[in-house]
Amino acid sequence: MHFVSLPETRQSIAPVFSDVNSARAWLATQPQAQSAHMLAALTLQIEAIDATAEQPAVVAIALLNVLRSAAIPSLEAVEPRFTRKAIPLPAEDERNFELAQQFWTRLGIAYLRRAPDLPSSEQALPLNRAACAFRLAEYCYFQAARECPAFLDQLLFAVLDQATQSDVLNQALPDPDFPHLGKANIAGHLVWAFLLRLLDPYRLSASQLVVANRAISRWRELCTFQVSGDDDPKSRLVDLNRLAAQPLPKSVPRWLDVRSLVRKSRQRLEALKAGESPEALKLGRELSAAACIRLLGALNASLRLPQPPASTEVGEIELSFGCENAYAVIRGESLNPTAGLDAKSASLAHRRMAMFGFDRLSQMPTAVKALNVPGEIWSLVDGKAVRPAGQAAARRLSPCLIASRRRGTPQLGVMLGLQSTAAGTLAANLLWFEGIIETGWMKQGEARMPAFLLRDAAELSLIVPAGAGLRINQPCTLEDSPIKHLLPTEVLERGMDFVLYACRPA
């Protein structure tokens, strides 16, 4: 653990109890129904215990266990308030996120600091709880789409180092706060955390994140740590130096053997393709079978080396968001010109249409048409699109549909992996559709709904707004398009504001 420096303790905080009984008496006086207040109070006492160096390690760990159990209801209450909401988060949601991640981070540090004070054979419990705490602290960052600090990864490696030296890495223990995990060992928690990190959880939707987390939790003990690599071509080793801020010491196992996990994942893929339901395979009900197939494929791909190089494009780019704006960028005209007008403007437009045959002055024969599509200026840095803090711009949630004029050509794409920093900057990956993009529209009541037909080689796909309500294997009509009648055959991707279908002419 010598290669990671734990933060200094806050000596100014005095604990308000000294043993388990007085801790439980104090907890009985706290406002259990006020989750934010409860978490703040518990975290303060964790820091106080961490700073009381003269307290025996056995007593400190027992107190931390009591506080951990008391926090679970409050943590469950605040979690939905920051999970995959549009970012930057509102102030109250941001506070709930900070309380949750600070609780787990401070708790893990307190356990980790006290573990070396015990004999090696007795370090399994505090190191197990520290690994679990750091894993859950990182998961808070993934849920909130907040950039996860490298320091948390370093703390996980510190647990790995200490548990390896003390020979307790694979010692399984029950966890009364998480009984569904059964007997869990330190290695399992660390594998769980590292694999989820490697998967790039920011690219996942809220439902995908839940399913990925569940699958990895079930398969976590299929992987094993190794000190050295393997020349066997059949081996599947992942170099954990990918996650380290600096080269790992030789004492830390840097290789993760994932061959058994990949085999299990492939078995699930085969079962899904054969018609088994995700629920029957214990993947849950959040995603369809097709969506689970794509997710497991992404998990397997994340474990391969080398990773594809990041884009080197730099400069500024103007991005327009949503299907309506994307249609205007690609087509060069608005589909629903009165969309977004207030009631007074819309009424005036209707009167103009009735009297003159056009709804806006810009549509007069002698007028010069100017299309002003709302957009945001982002910077391209190190393969990512970045929006500086302080812009009076909308909150965003990915994956979402985007459009832009790149090198003078309109392009359609998807923003993926959106995350925010503590400073308020937003960063994301941009994926641009290849091939020919053609616009059209569908009727939705009295309104017209934008649609995009994508032609890439011999394949056809269709993008429509998330609320379009199309059904698989039921024909739909696309107006003002080279192909009018289409049959959606499969959902390829669900974004926050769009759905991408595989399709064929009906």
Side-chain angles (χ1 to χ4, degrees), residues 218-371:
R218 295 183 59 82
W219 303 339
R220 65 188 187 274
E221 293 182 6
L222 295 175
C223 303
T224 56
F225 289 98
Q226 293 185 191
V227 175
S228 59
D230 193 338
D231 295 330
D232 184 350
K234 293 184 178 179
S235 67
R236 288 295 299 272
L237 298 182
V238 174
D239 187 353
L240 295 176
N241 260 329
R242 290 163 58 181
L243 298 177
Q246 55 191 12
L248 294 171
K250 292 183 178 180
S251 61
V252 180
R254 61 173 277 192
W255 299 96
L256 190 62
D257 185 349
V258 298
R259 180 164 50 180
S260 296
L261 182 143
V262 171
R263 185 183 303 117
K264 176 69 74 173
S265 176
R266 286 174 177 167
Q267 291 171 353
R268 291 293 183 268
L269 281 168
E270 291 170 2
L272 289 165
K273 291 175 182 178
E276 287 275 5
S277 71
E279 188 174 10
L281 297 173
K282 298 183 179 180
L283 295 172
R285 294 188 293 181
E286 290 86 355
L287 297 177
S288 66
C292 283
I293 289 171
R294 291 192 299 276
L295 180 61
L296 294 180
L299 172 60
N300 290 344
S302 71
L303 303 178
R304 299 191 191 108
L305 286 175
Q307 298 298 300
S311 168
T312 57
E313 188 176 358
V314 296
E316 289 190 340
I317 184 170
E318 184 175 13
L319 300 176
S320 294
F321 292 82
C323 292
E324 286 275 351
N325 288 334
Y327 180 96
V329 171
I330 302 299
R331 185 66 176 246
E333 62 183 19
S334 297
L335 176 62
N336 297 298
T338 59
L341 296 178
D342 57 29
K344 183 177 180 181
S345 298
S347 175
L348 178 59
H350 284 303
R351 290 200 301 271
R352 285 175 178 159
M353 178 64 75
M355 294 176 65
F356 306 113
F358 56 84
D359 63 350
R360 296 191 182 190
L361 293 178
S362 61
Q363 294 181 355
M364 292 179 64
T366 57
V368 177
K369 294 185 178 181
L371 184 65

Side-chain angles (χ1 to χ4, degrees), residues 29-102:
T29 67
Q30 300 305 301
Q32 310 286 334
Q34 298 179 29
S35 301
H37 177 92
M38 192 70 181
L39 286 176
L42 291 171
T43 303
L44 193 66
Q45 288 309 304
I46 287 170
E47 292 189 76
I49 294 169
D50 192 22
T52 310
E54 64 275 10
Q55 194 172 50
V58 173
V59 175
I61 290 167
L63 292 175
L64 294 174
N65 291 341
V66 171
L67 299 183
R68 181 181 190 255
S69 298
I72 299 300
S74 296
L75 289 161
E76 291 176 345
V78 303
E79 182 180 287
R81 301 176 188 175
F82 59 80
T83 297
R84 288 307 165 99
K85 293 188 173 181
I87 55 177
L89 290 171
E92 187 60 27
D93 295 337
E94 177 76 14
R95 171 170 164 75
N96 285 309
F97 157 71
E98 290 290 353
L99 286 169
Q101 69 85 6
Q102 285 175 7

Side-chain angles (χ1 to χ4, degrees), residues 368-384:
V368 177
K369 294 185 178 181
L371 184 65
N372 184 19
V373 183
E376 296 177 12
I377 301 299
W378 290 56
S379 299
L380 297 171
V381 181
D382 295 333
K384 286 187 176 291

Side-chain angles (χ1 to χ4, degrees), residues 38 44 118 168 200 206 217 255 257 277 374 420 432 438 465 467-468:
M38 192 70 181
L44 193 66
L118 296 171
V168 294
D200 190 3
S217 76
W255 299 96
D257 185 349
S277 71
S420 64
W432 301 104
E438 296 167 326

